[in-house]
Amino acid sequence: MAMESHCSLMLFDIAVPRNVDADVNDLPNVYAFNVDDLKAVVAQNQESRRQMAMEAEGILDEEVEAFDLWWRSLETVSTISSLRNKIEAIRAQELEKALSRLGSEFGEKHQEVIEALTRGIVNKILHDPMVQLRAQQDIEARRHAMQTLQTLFNLEPASNSPLS
């Protein structure tokens, strides 16, 4: 049998007993594989899949933990919302008083600037406490911080917590 040098021949011998002599591997560009070779490939593929499954489980564990932290942080939403609403009501009330003292000659443009200024101040004051409250991973510490905020600002107790 004549074969071009750039071609190769692969023989798969799945017969028992074997039909292809192992000596054919000594020929250039001829490769013979038997059932034992195929079993080794299957075992290697199974090990590779097992490793990939373990990696996937690790990724899933990390994502479940991240989701759990996010889910638990949702219990802060009602406290944060109550605090923001109370501070916003105070801001609006005080702004209205200040604008009424300034009188009608105070232009609309000036009112818009003062409105934006007071909103900016409120947002900057509330930003860090809200971020810290959401970021608190220890459940008891987070609940204690929420209770402290509710007490300090005389907020309505949190209801409808997703974890209750």
Side-chain angles (χ1 to χ4, degrees):
M1 174 170 133
M3 200 167 72
E4 295 183 30
S5 63
H6 68 277
C7 293
S8 61
L9 177 64
M10 297 180 123
L11 302 170
F12 295 92
D13 184 3
I14 58 172
V16 177
R18 295 186 179 129
N19 289 334
V20 177
D21 193 287
D23 290 341
V24 298
N25 281 322
D26 296 337
L27 298 172
N29 297 327
V30 177
Y31 307 96
F33 300 96
N34 58 39
V35 172
D36 293 332
D37 296 327
L38 296 176
K39 284 180 182 176
V41 170
V42 167
Q44 184 180 14
N45 285 342
Q46 284 177 326
E47 177 60 22
S48 174
R49 285 194 305 264
R50 190 183 69 75
Q51 287 292 332
M52 290 183 347
M54 288 174 56
E55 288 175 25
E57 286 177 3
I59 292 169
L60 280 173
D61 288 343
E62 290 172 12
E63 291 302 316
V64 164
E65 186 176 329
F67 177 81
D68 186 52
L69 288 173
W70 170 80
W71 178 256
R72 291 184 185 282
S73 76
L74 290 180
E75 76 179 336
T76 63
V77 170
S78 61
T79 299
I80 289 170
S81 180
S82 294
L83 179 59
R84 180 166 282 288
N85 289 342
K86 181 153 191 171
I87 300 299
E88 176 58 26
I90 293 168
R91 182 200 69 80
Q93 184 180 26
E94 293 301 313
L95 178 63
E96 187 178 322
K97 278 194 237 177
L99 291 176
S100 70
R101 281 190 235 131
L102 290 171
S104 59
E105 70 276 355
F106 199 68
E108 190 174 311
K109 174 83 171 147
H110 294 101
Q111 289 179 9
E112 290 173 9
V113 169
I114 292 176
E115 173 96 19
L117 170 71
T118 58
R119 280 189 195 282
I121 291 170
V122 165
N123 288 338
K124 286 184 191 276
I125 290 171
L126 292 178
H127 177 76
D128 285 341
M130 290 180 179
V131 167
Q132 292 301 316
L133 186 60
R134 283 189 198 112
Q136 182 58 254
Q137 293 183 12
D138 181 85
I139 295 167
E140 288 307 313
R142 181 187 308 128
R143 288 181 178 160
H144 179 73
M146 288 177 7
Q147 183 62 46
T148 300
L149 281 174
Q150 291 166 0
T151 301
L152 289 174
F153 289 95
N154 195 26
L155 304 174
E156 292 295 319
S159 61
N160 299 349
S161 171
L163 301 176
S164 297

